[in-house]
Amino acid sequence: MRALLDTTLVLPMLLYSCLSSAASSPLYSSSCRLQRRFHLNGMRKPGDVVLGGLFEMHFGPIYPDLSFTSEPQQPDCHGFDVLGFRQAQTMAFAIDEINRNSNLLPNVTLGYSLYDNCNQLGIGFHAALSLTSGQDEQVTLHETCAGTPLVLGIVGEDSSTRSIAISTVLGLYRVPMVSYFATCSCLSDRQKFPSFFRMIPSDAFQVRAMIQILKHFGWTWAGLLSSDDDYGLHAARSFRTDLSPSGGGCLAYTEILTEGNDPAELRRIVDVMKKSTARVVISFVHDNQMINLMEEVVKQNVTGLQWIASEAWTLASVLQTPHLMPYLGGTLGIAIRRGEIPGLREFLLQIRPDLHHNNSYGNDVVNQFWEFTFQCRFAPPPAGWVEAGGALCTGHEDLENVETEFLDTLNLRPEYNVYKAVYALAYAIDDMLHCEPGRGPFSGNSCGNLQRLEPWQLLYYLEKVNFTTPFGDQVSFDENGDVLPIYDIMNWLWLPDGRIKVQNVGEVKTSALKGEELTLDEDKILWNFESKEPPRSVCSESCPPGTRMARKKGEPECCFDCIPCSEGKISNKTDSMECTSCPKDFWSSPQRDHCLPKKIDFLSYHEPLGICLTVTSLLGTFVCAVVLGIFIYHHRTPIVRANNSELSFQLLFSLKLCFLCSLLFIGHPRHWTCQLRHAAFGISFVLCVSCILVKTMVVLAVFKASKPGGEASLKWFGAVQQRGTVLVLTSVQAAICTAWLVSASPAPHKNTQYHNDKIVYECVVGSTIGFAVLLGYIGLLAVLSFLLAFLARNLPDNFNEAKLITFSMLIFCAVWVAFVPAYISSPGKYADAVEVFAILASSFGLLVALFGPKCYIILLRPERNTKKAIMGRGNTKS
């Protein structure tokens, strides 16, 4: 970056050096002198309009040029780059093809000036300076400033770092620069780089493409490697920024590979990769750095990794060797879109070296290519070419007979971008020259003309260019100067016969209708694992439904524990962040993955307890009916008539109602059953107890009347008075029930407090006071009957019914005294069961105590069912 800043300052200084000297002179000078001249490798072709190009035709300089003198400087480069030379020839071919096209730029000849940047930032700056300011020793300044600039636009660079540096300066003068290989997302900043365009998608799209691949295969745990330059650092930063919001996963580690090739640092990085549980490694690294890294991977024998390569090394043949394929086999990579350029191979075959050594422009680099390809040398060797050796070159060698990737035109990727970049500039120039005078886009509706074309004018039309290549790809730029993005997905295959193949297995592109779209043919993908299946690369396995994710403290969000949902909560999808509560009337399933309707709990006719109570209730009703039948059949017998047969019939009828009213407490609570159950219970028992009370009072009156002067007491206990007393006492209970139902009626209620997973249907009493008054009134009558019967128990009679009443009331009161605490402490349906049990127990107690002895005499001891026996004058004692 220090070199980048220093050179950024050099270029504008050299551009303005002649102008500054002219302005500082007291007299205006019509010419200025070039401060420094650079001798650069390159090719040139004259034309009406000249386009510039910057290509990497050598891998680097032997030593850096740190001098700043006026002497001509020739960079001494080494390591001929055949692919970079082919890219430069592709630009020459495209311009030649355009010149032969009568429909595009008719009557205009395009020329080119192509320079070798020698893979060096400083040399690339020198080349850019030469393209924009020229290398003439003396420049004459015309008053009109007329004349065509040296270049209207530049095709290049292949490096993000060099593109950033050069575009920073060219943007000041609005000189268009169309890159074919610079991918740094930072170059999309239109404020900093207003004249930069590119034919390759930015790293932002490449990053999103990689994240889509991760999501497609479910890889949420990966390592990230990046180079220590603008390309790697910006890509890594963008990857980290986009990974989490997209839900694509987390990074187990992030490592930066420096240019120094420090063995200790490489060992540390590979050791991190070896110890990590991440099986996927994303690499934004250049091929020369990957070679050093992979050598260390081989040394430590780190296998079982799935590599995802950036476009920087996806197609690097230097890595596709049998030595490395056991580790790199199955690699998935992002590659530049492949294209076809008809006629390019024939054009490349026409290249011939300069046999006369006349040093014409472009022949030096061609001769170097020839020497590299055929491993020969020209005599004398060209200056600066120190690597040639072997036989002498004749210049008549046949390119078709030598094995070289220079002629491989079936896999054109950067070349296809160069081809499109040249056509984009050509279409922009063509649109500019077709401008109608007076209707132009510039000041005063003016147009650009061939004699006074300006780069900033071309910039206007380049932003609006839109055309389709013969291969079928549409080319246009967005507001950031980025082309419509598309990448190929490549897979490295190591075939059984030892051959290595990199094949296309899909693509990722952006379309206006579908947005970003990933297409993969998984049947073509070779996985470098024993299972032949995609690897698993997760920090924590997915949480199944019924659980939620709980982040591990101090670890990335992809590392978590799976916590089962608590009762009443569920999660119905994988990797739920939280459990959701079930609706009010629902409860979680045992697996906690869905909600089930809560069980409805009430005293049912279908459960054993309900069945037992129902059977007992019906049995009591049946027994009452039998006893009533017996009494009716024997109604003329003394024992029936002696004990007030009418009240006995009423008592049996009321007991039957008591038995039947217990059925209202069984079954699904409904509004009418809740209202009716307590009213029927209260009235039935008051009717029953009232009959017993009147019976007791009659017994007392009879015994009192048997004494001298007591006959008058019987007139208050005639049949009418007895019926009236029972009616009045029962009417009081009916009034209590009516007031209760009107003021605060009992109603069915869904109670969820007893059980979380059950809904207990119960009848709430509505008014506790009303229920207490109802029970209190029954208790009052029962206590009163008990006291009166207790007083009359020892009255002289052979069959004193007061004793039976006393015993029956004792049972009745004992049952209901025990009922109150049991009822209060019993939840839900068991409260209903307690009340039913109390009803049945007290009813059976009354039935057995009052009518058991009488039925025994009527049915089994008929000899005692006589008037003499009842009056105590028989031989048999009762």
Side-chain angles (χ1 to χ4, degrees), residues 210 213-214 219 223-225 253 257 269-270 273 279-285 290 293-294 297-298 302-310 313-314 319 324-334 490-492 526-529 535:
M210 287 186 172
I213 294 175
L214 293 179
W219 296 330
L224 177 64
L225 304 178
Y253 55 85
L257 274 68
I269 293 174
V270 174
M273 297 166 56
R279 297 294 87 200
V280 176
V281 182
I282 298 107
S283 176
F284 291 96
V285 178
M290 278 298 298
L293 177 69
M294 291 309 300
V297 169
V298 173
V302 182
T303 58
L305 296 180
Q306 175 63 49
W307 292 87
I308 299 183
S310 68
W313 64 278
T314 294
L319 291 167
L324 298 179
M325 284 306 291
Y327 305 89
L328 288 176
T331 294
L332 289 176
I334 304 293
M490 311 302 293
N491 180 225
W492 290 25
L526 173 68
W527 303 104
N528 193 28
F529 303 95

Side-chain angles (χ1 to χ4, degrees), residues 463-728:
E463 292 174 341
K464 302 181 181 302
V465 76
N466 193 339
F467 67 95
T468 303
T469 68
F471 193 58
D473 291 332
Q474 184 181 359
V475 178
S476 62
F477 299 104
D478 62 15
E479 64 276 6
N480 297 320
D482 293 328
V483 75
L484 193 67
I486 182 170
Y487 270 121
D488 290 336
I489 309 297
M490 311 302 293
N491 180 225
W492 290 25
L493 280 68
W494 195 16
L495 303 178
D497 58 5
R499 290 186 299 114
I500 298 171
K501 179 182 179 182
V502 179
Q503 71 172 359
N504 191 323
V505 294
E507 67 178 15
V508 57
K509 63 182 179 180
T510 296
S511 61
L513 296 178
K514 298 182 179 180
E516 293 183 6
E517 183 181 10
L518 172 66
T519 304
L520 279 176
D521 188 353
E522 295 191 40
D523 294 335
K524 289 185 178 180
I525 299 178
L526 173 68
W527 303 104
N528 193 28
F529 303 95
E530 292 183 2
S531 63
K532 303 302 179 184
E533 296 290 333
R536 289 283 296 167
S537 186
V538 296
C539 182
S540 300
E541 292 295 337
S542 296
C543 290
T547 63
R548 64 175 178 86
M549 298 166 56
R551 289 276 303 275
K552 292 183 178 180
K553 188 176 181 180
E555 296 189 25
E557 61 182 12
C558 296
C559 302
F560 49 83
D561 293 319
C562 296
I563 307 298
C565 294
S566 58
E567 289 187 347
K569 293 186 177 182
I570 65 160
S571 64
N572 55 7
K573 61 182 181 180
T574 304
D575 290 337
S576 296
M577 294 300 298
E578 60 182 14
C579 299
T580 57
S581 298
C582 289
K584 181 180 179 181
D585 291 345
F586 289 81
W587 195 248
S588 56
S589 64
Q591 296 78 22
R592 306 289 196 271
D593 56 355
H594 65 282
C595 291
L596 297 173
K598 289 183 177 180
K599 294 181 180 179
I600 307 299
D601 192 34
F602 56 87
L603 189 58
S604 171
Y605 288 110
H606 305 289
E607 61 179 306
L609 180 59
I611 293 173
C612 290
L613 294 176
T614 301
V615 171
T616 304
S617 174
L618 295 177
L619 177 62
T621 304
F622 175 74
V623 172
C624 285
V626 171
V627 172
L628 181 61
I630 293 173
F631 269 56
I632 292 175
Y633 183 78
H634 298 280
H635 69 281
R636 296 186 181 276
T637 61
I639 197 167
V640 175
R641 297 180 61 188
N643 290 284
N644 201 331
S645 60
E646 183 176 348
L647 286 177
S648 296
F649 293 149
Q650 290 181 5
L651 181 58
L652 286 171
F653 175 74
S654 63
L655 283 174
K656 185 184 293 187
L657 292 179
C658 290
F659 280 114
L660 290 176
C661 77
S662 63
L663 298 178
L664 295 174
F665 291 83
I666 305 173
H668 196 293
R670 305 186 185 279
H671 192 71
W672 67 271
T673 58
C674 288
Q675 290 181 323
L676 188 59
R677 62 169 58 172
H678 288 107
F681 154 70
I683 295 174
S684 298
F685 269 90
V686 165
L687 178 61
C688 179
V689 176
S690 298
C691 292
I692 295 174
L693 179 61
V694 172
K695 266 180 166 288
T696 306
M697 295 172 65
V698 170
V699 170
L700 289 174
V702 169
F703 279 103
K704 187 176 182 180
S706 63
K707 296 180 179 182
E711 295 83 357
S713 60
L714 287 177
K715 66 178 181 179
W716 298 104
F717 292 95
V720 175
Q721 287 80 3
Q722 293 176 22
R723 298 190 196 102
T725 302
V726 171
L727 180 61
V728 169

Side-chain angles (χ1 to χ4, degrees), residues 103-171:
N103 296 321
L104 183 61
L105 291 176
N107 304 320
V108 175
T109 301
L110 281 183
Y112 56 79
S113 181
L114 313 180
Y115 282 133
D116 177 13
N117 61 35
C118 206
N119 194 27
Q120 184 71 16
L121 178 59
I123 297 176
F125 255 116
H126 294 169
L129 173 61
S130 299
L131 290 173
T132 54
S133 62
Q135 296 210 58
D136 294 334
E137 292 289 346
Q138 196 79 7
V139 179
T140 302
L141 300 178
H142 300 282
E143 293 182 2
T144 60
C145 294
T148 304
L150 286 179
V151 294
L152 276 182
I154 297 176
V155 176
E157 273 263 10
D158 63 337
S159 161
S160 293
T161 298
R162 292 192 292 272
S163 295
I164 292 170
I166 296 173
S167 295
T168 301
V169 177
L170 295 185

Side-chain angles (χ1 to χ4, degrees), residues 185-506:
S185 57
C186 58
L187 288 164
S188 297
D189 189 341
R190 222 54 184 154
Q191 297 295 323
K192 295 181 179 179
F193 311 102
S195 63
F196 180 80
F197 299 82
R198 55 180 156 195
M199 285 297 166
I200 186 172
S202 74
D203 284 334
F205 180 74
Q206 182 178 195
V207 163
R208 293 196 298 271
M210 287 186 172
I211 292 176
Q212 286 196 54
I213 294 175
L214 293 179
K215 294 175 68 175
H216 180 82
F217 292 107
W219 296 330
T220 60
W221 191 233
L224 177 64
L225 304 178
S226 65
S227 57
D228 189 16
D229 56 13
D230 293 297
Y231 166 74
L233 296 177
H234 280 89
R237 185 183 304 117
S238 178
F239 193 92
R240 288 193 300 268
T241 302
D242 294 348
L243 184 62
S244 294
S246 68
C250 306
L251 292 177
Y253 55 85
T254 301
E255 298 293 340
I256 299 176
L257 274 68
T258 60
E259 290 286 351
N261 189 23
D262 182 6
E265 180 66 9
L266 288 176
R267 281 195 301 272
R268 185 194 66 80
I269 293 174
V270 174
D271 190 56
V272 170
M273 297 166 56
K274 187 176 183 179
K275 293 179 179 179
S276 174
T277 57
R279 297 294 87 200
V280 176
V281 182
I282 298 107
S283 176
F284 291 96
V285 178
H286 301 291
D287 52 1
N288 58 333
Q289 294 172 306
M290 278 298 298
I291 293 174
N292 299 327
L293 177 69
M294 291 309 300
E295 290 298 333
E296 185 63 31
V297 169
V298 173
K299 286 182 182 179
Q300 298 194 29
N301 193 28
V302 182
T303 58
L305 296 180
Q306 175 63 49
W307 292 87
I308 299 183
S310 68
E311 46 78 26
W313 64 278
T314 294
L315 302 175
S317 57
V318 69
L319 291 167
Q320 298 166 17
T321 63
H323 176 57
L324 298 179
M325 284 306 291
Y327 305 89
L328 288 176
T331 294
L332 289 176
I334 304 293
I336 303 170
R337 172 72 164 176
R338 188 191 72 84
E340 295 180 1
I341 307 177
L344 177 60
R345 178 180 172 85
E346 290 73 17
F347 179 84
L348 298 178
L349 287 171
Q350 296 174 6
I351 295 175
R352 285 291 179 269
D354 178 20
L355 300 179
H356 302 289
H357 311 292
N358 57 12
N359 294 322
S360 60
Y361 190 88
N363 283 327
D364 282 352
V365 70
V366 173
N367 288 353
Q368 293 166 14
F369 160 72
W370 206 263
E371 289 179 331
F372 175 83
T373 302
F374 295 100
Q375 293 298 299
C376 62
R377 65 180 179 86
F378 289 98
W385 182 248
V386 297
E387 295 182 1
L392 292 177
C393 300
T394 65
H396 298 291
E397 290 85 358
D398 191 355
L399 279 175
E400 285 193 293
N401 292 332
V402 67
E403 185 176 348
T404 173
E405 58 183 338
F406 179 71
L407 296 177
D408 181 13
T409 58
L410 298 178
N411 194 30
L412 300 176
R413 296 181 187 275
E415 294 80 4
Y416 185 50
N417 285 346
V418 172
Y419 183 79
K420 292 187 291 183
V422 174
Y423 266 89
L425 289 168
Y427 273 104
I429 296 171
D430 186 65
D431 292 341
M432 183 168 59
L433 296 180
H434 279 83
C435 175
E436 297 181 17
R439 304 181 65 179
F442 309 122
S443 61
N445 296 326
S446 61
C447 297
N449 58 74
L450 191 59
Q451 288 71 35
R452 297 186 60 182
L453 291 180
E454 297 290 341
W456 62 268
Q457 294 174 328
L458 178 62
L459 182 63
Y460 172 83
Y461 287 95
L462 189 59
E463 292 174 341
K464 302 181 181 302
V465 76
N466 193 339
F467 67 95
T468 303
T469 68
F471 193 58
D473 291 332
Q474 184 181 359
V475 178
S476 62
F477 299 104
D478 62 15
E479 64 276 6
N480 297 320
D482 293 328
V483 75
L484 193 67
I486 182 170
Y487 270 121
D488 290 336
I489 309 297
M490 311 302 293
N491 180 225
W492 290 25
L493 280 68
W494 195 16
L495 303 178
D497 58 5
R499 290 186 299 114
I500 298 171
K501 179 182 179 182
V502 179
Q503 71 172 359
N504 191 323
V505 294

